[in-house]
Amino acid sequence: MSRAATVESGERLRLFLALRLPDEILDRLVDWQRRELGEVPNTRLVPRENLHATLAFLGHRAADELEGILGALRGAAEAAERPLLSLHGYRETRSVGMLMFDDEGERAGALAHDLRARLEALGVYERERRRWLPHVTVLRFRERPRRGPSRPGPELPVLEPFAPSDAAAYLSRLRPGGAQYEVLESMALGGR
């Protein structure tokens, strides 16, 4: 377990909990982003330090709720079997481009489900109706890029199946150039 950022008592925190990606996966994703997405007009690449797979977005929470939230993440991470993710495809929503992953044995999904139940029990999270989808947001935009014969979707990066490096609680600070994320605490998965 490691702690990085600190917060002031009484502060409202914009929080999310996520799986962090191994350095070699991050390196390959950044190279792929530059090659396949770097020239897409009116878009913003998600920087290396912001690439992750969100488990739960909590929005703005009171600073005094942080210890309970971290405890829920610690408990779920310790109880989890180490996930293995394999690249499945690329998809665009109305505001982001994302890489989607298959979840071997649904271990990452079980971690997300356990974590969300713990957060609900604390009263700090309301479960989404849709099923959790393992994905990494790689591109942001205000207007979806137009695709067609002259602008097909990106070729997928070459990624071997990988285990996330750990789980972390992030503080998200909104800035004019995009959100800035700071790791508040990270912990190993499966008690390692």
Side-chain angles (χ1 to χ4, degrees):
M1 181 173 63
S2 67
R3 257 204 152 136
T6 59
V7 296
E8 299 291 322
S9 178
E11 189 177 355
R12 298 270 310 155
L13 311 173
R14 189 170 187 262
L15 300 173
F16 67 91
L17 310 174
L19 295 171
R20 297 201 310 172
L21 309 179
D23 285 335
E24 61 272 11
I25 297 299
L26 290 170
D27 292 342
R28 288 183 190 163
L29 289 179
V30 168
D31 287 344
W32 170 80
Q33 283 177 303
R34 282 191 206 117
R35 190 175 59 253
E36 292 293 323
L37 304 174
E39 300 299 318
V40 179
N42 303 313
T43 63
R44 188 173 70 238
L45 297 178
V46 174
R48 184 185 201 279
E49 61 274 10
N50 288 6
L51 295 170
H52 63 273
T54 302
L55 293 166
F57 179 74
L58 302 172
H60 287 91
R61 305 303 317 171
D64 63 0
E65 295 173 325
L66 182 59
E67 280 309 313
I69 291 167
L70 293 174
L73 181 59
R74 285 184 209 113
E78 188 172 315
E81 290 184 61
R82 196 159 179 87
L84 187 65
L85 302 177
S86 302
L87 184 60
H88 174 77
Y90 175 83
R91 168 179 130 173
E92 290 177 352
T93 68
R94 69 184 192 317
S95 60
V96 302
M98 66 178 79
L99 292 171
M100 300 173 302
F101 293 87
D102 290 327
D103 175 14
E104 183 180 291
E106 297 194 13
R107 294 187 298 253
L111 167 60
H113 180 78
D114 180 28
L115 174 61
R116 290 170 170 198
R118 291 170 190 253
L119 295 168
E120 281 182 314
L122 291 172
V124 298
Y125 183 77
E126 186 175 323
R127 194 178 307 243
E128 297 176 33
R129 292 179 194 255
R130 63 180 182 227
R131 187 171 180 202
W132 181 76
L133 170 71
H135 70 279
V136 174
T137 299
V138 294
L139 185 69
R140 295 193 179 279
F141 40 81
R142 291 190 195 283
E143 186 176 315
R144 186 182 288 187
R146 297 193 185 270
R147 303 278 183 206
S150 64
R151 270 193 78 65
E155 197 170 298
L156 292 177
V158 176
L159 297 179
E160 296 297 320
F162 66 92
S165 56
D166 56 4
Y170 286 86
L171 175 63
S172 173
R173 298 183 195 271
L174 299 178
R175 306 278 191 233
Q180 176 187 345
Y181 302 154
E182 297 175 59
V183 173
L184 294 171
E185 187 173 312
S186 64
M187 62 262 341
L189 298 169
R192 291 185 254 258

